[in-house]
């Protein structure tokens, strides 16, 4: 059971006891049918724009969502398979708490970001992406920036900070990713990915699955963020009643026998054809195909986190996630930690108000900003 709790360091956690987040604004009364219709990004962010970044092969285009006009910038990085929309509800809450600006970014190969080489999801490449986007947005004199990352995005945030890609960095917040448990979970990640539905008959169907499976425990957040996780299939020919329970394909390790490898390729090709024939929506990111980068995201992460010279906050869904290196560092006061119980892995979606409160208190304590006038903390 303990191992199962750590499977979703790239995606989100499987079903667990506890049901939906009790603080969800969309909680319905007894006998009421839940509303799984999608919500627009514009209800939570003020603007959306595409940022063009020059590289050796041409231009990459990164989708960002923004709110706020003054104060330090909170640069938000989502987890694997998710998108900037996973920060939507959190953004609305944090902007009501403190004076700040928010920039939530779709990382390469995620959401609506379009890059020339979407297969390159190495930590180094993604960290450089962050620096380039910040440079395009703010030039040579960027405002104070605090980088906040969840899961894979947390790992990228640490690599970005260590590589000094953001010259005006004032703080670092990592949400529910710890090297020890992440590395342990990788062995079981493919099994988890295979257990997910491969397709959905509608976006509403995908939202309903995300809530009922426990992937996202806050129905409001699911309604705005799932649109960033799934996409409409091209050349779809099915009726809305098509199957939504085809298991996701799995890439076998390179050292498997050639015969098995060919068999897997054939099966995956057939699966791709099944998607187009039998469904309307499928996952935007095939996480099973990113396996070769997983080790690089997380190995050595605890030591890197501890060496970051800025004030650090670690938010966890459970204290059992702490590895030895972080436990020692926490005892030595090298970072601030807060555990938010009764949350799934998508802590900032499940409990956006608790995450916003923790972050706001941290930033005010370090004099990065002030509480908004009239807000009672």
């Amino acid at each position: 059971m303990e191992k199962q709790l750590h499977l979703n360091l790239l995606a989100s956690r499987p079903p667990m006891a506890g049901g939906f987040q009790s603080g969800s604004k969309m909680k319905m009364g007894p006998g009421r049918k839940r509303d799984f219709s999608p919500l627009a990004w514009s209800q939570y962010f003020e603007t959306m724009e595409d940022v063009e970044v020059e590289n050796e092969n041409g231009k990459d285009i990164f989708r960002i969502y923004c709110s706020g006009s003054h104060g330090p910038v909170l640069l938000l990085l989502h987890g694997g398979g998710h998108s900037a929309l996973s920060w939507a509800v959190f953004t609305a809450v944090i902007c009501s708490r403190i004076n700040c600006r928010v920039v939530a970014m779709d990382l390469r190969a995620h959401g609506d970001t379009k890059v020339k080489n979407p297969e390159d999801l190495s930590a180094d490449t993604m960290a450089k992406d962050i620096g380039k986007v910040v440079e395009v947005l703010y030039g040579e004199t960027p405002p104070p920036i605090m980088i906040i990352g969840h899961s894979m995005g947390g790992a990228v945030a640490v690599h970005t900070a260590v590589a000094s890609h953001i010259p005006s960095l004032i703080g670092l917040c990592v949400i529910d990713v710890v090297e020890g448990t992440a590395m342990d979970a990788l062995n079981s990640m493919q099994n988890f990915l295979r257990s997910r539905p491969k397709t959905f008959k509608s976006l509403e169907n995908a939202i309903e699955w995300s809530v009922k499976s426990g992937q996202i425990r806050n129905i409001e957040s699911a309604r705005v963020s799932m649109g960033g996780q799934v996409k409409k299939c091209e050349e779809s020919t099915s009726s809305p009643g098509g199957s939504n329970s085809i298991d996701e394909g799995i890439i076998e390790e390179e050292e498997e026998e050639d015969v098995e490898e060919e068999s897997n390729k054939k099966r995956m090709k057939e699966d791709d054809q099944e998607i187009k024939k039998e469904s309307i929506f499928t996952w935007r990111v095939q996480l099973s195909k990113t396996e070769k980068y997983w080790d690089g995201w997380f190995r050595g992460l605890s030591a890197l986190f501890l060496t970051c010279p800025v004030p650090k906050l670690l938010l966890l869904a459970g204290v059992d996630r702490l590895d030895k290196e972080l436990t020692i560092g926490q005892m030595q006061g090298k970072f601030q930690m807060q555990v938010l119980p009764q949350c799934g892995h998508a802590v900032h979606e499940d409990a956006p108000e608790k995450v916003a409160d923790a972050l706001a208190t941290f930033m005010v304590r370090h004099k990065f900003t002030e509480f908004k006038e009239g807000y009672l903390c």
Side-chain angles (χ1 to χ4, degrees), residues 7-8 43 47 53 68 129 162 220 248 250 263 272 363-364:
L7 293 185
N8 283 331
Q43 294 183 227
T47 63
V53 171
D129 288 340
V162 170
E220 181 183 11
E248 179 169 348
I250 179 172
S263 175
D272 290 340
M363 294 189 70
V364 171

Side-chain angles (χ1 to χ4, degrees), residues 151-201:
S151 196
M152 178 196 77
V156 174
V158 171
H159 284 275
T160 302
V162 170
S164 300
H165 288 311
I166 301 178
S168 60
L169 189 69
I170 57 172
L172 170 66
C173 175
V174 173
I175 301 178
D176 212 42
V177 58
V178 169
E179 178 186 352
T181 49
M183 296 303 294
D184 289 343
L186 294 185
N187 293 328
S188 304
M189 181 52 62
Q190 290 285 15
N191 288 333
F192 164 71
L193 294 176
R194 284 200 302 171
S195 73
R196 302 192 304 178
K198 187 161 189 171
T199 58
F200 302 95
K201 62 185 179 181

Side-chain angles (χ1 to χ4, degrees), residues 134-363:
V134 168
E135 184 178 4
V136 171
L137 288 174
Y138 305 111
E140 296 181 357
T141 57
I145 296 175
M146 179 159 182
I147 190 168
I148 303 163
H150 167 248
S151 196
M152 178 196 77
V156 174
V158 171
H159 284 275
T160 302
V162 170
S164 300
H165 288 311
I166 301 178
S168 60
L169 189 69
I170 57 172
L172 170 66
C173 175
V174 173
I175 301 178
D176 212 42
V177 58
V178 169
E179 178 186 352
T181 49
M183 296 303 294
D184 289 343
L186 294 185
N187 293 328
S188 304
M189 181 52 62
Q190 290 285 15
N191 288 333
F192 164 71
L193 294 176
R194 284 200 302 171
S195 73
R196 302 192 304 178
K198 187 161 189 171
T199 58
F200 302 95
K201 62 185 179 181
S202 65
L203 180 52
E204 289 82 356
N205 181 231
I207 293 169
E208 181 177 6
W209 172 83
S210 73
V211 174
K212 291 185 175 179
S213 70
Q215 186 195 41
I216 303 172
R217 301 183 184 185
N218 181 334
I219 191 170
E220 181 183 11
S221 188
R223 291 174 63 193
V224 65
S225 72
M226 277 303 289
Q229 288 197 56
V230 298
K231 63 181 179 180
K232 195 168 185 178
C233 294
E234 298 176 4
E235 301 175 17
S236 177
T237 59
S238 74
S239 66
S243 169
N244 72 320
S245 59
I246 305 171
D247 286 341
E248 179 169 348
I250 179 172
I251 300 268
E252 299 292 345
E253 296 181 359
E254 292 180 1
E255 55 265 25
E256 294 288 347
E257 295 181 5
D258 292 342
V259 175
E260 291 187 12
E261 194 169 310
E262 286 300 317
S263 175
N264 289 329
K265 288 180 180 178
K266 181 179 179 182
R267 176 161 53 85
M268 290 188 69
K269 185 176 181 180
E270 291 173 349
D271 284 345
D272 290 340
Q273 292 173 347
E274 287 284 337
I275 290 177
K276 292 181 179 180
K277 289 179 181 179
E278 299 190 21
S279 67
I280 302 296
F281 285 82
T282 188
W283 300 103
R284 287 177 182 259
V285 184
Q286 297 300 317
L287 285 173
S288 61
K289 298 180 181 179
T290 68
E291 182 175 10
K292 63 181 178 181
Y293 296 111
W294 297 351
D295 187 89
W297 293 344
F298 303 117
R299 189 173 298 280
L301 189 64
S302 293
L304 290 175
F305 175 74
L306 292 172
T307 60
C308 291
V310 295
K312 297 174 286 294
L313 174 64
L314 178 62
L315 299 179
L316 299 175
V319 71
D320 57 329
R321 284 159 161 68
L322 274 187
D323 55 30
K324 182 178 179 181
E325 202 161 5
L326 286 181
T327 299
I328 295 173
Q330 202 269 333
M331 293 173 66
Q332 294 173 338
K334 292 184 177 180
F335 63 92
Q336 182 179 330
M337 183 186 75
Q338 188 165 337
V339 178
L340 302 176
Q342 298 180 333
C343 291
H345 178 51
V347 181
H348 59 301
E349 292 202 67
D350 293 351
E353 294 192 356
K354 291 181 180 178
V355 172
D357 287 342
L359 189 64
T361 301
F362 177 84
M363 294 189 70

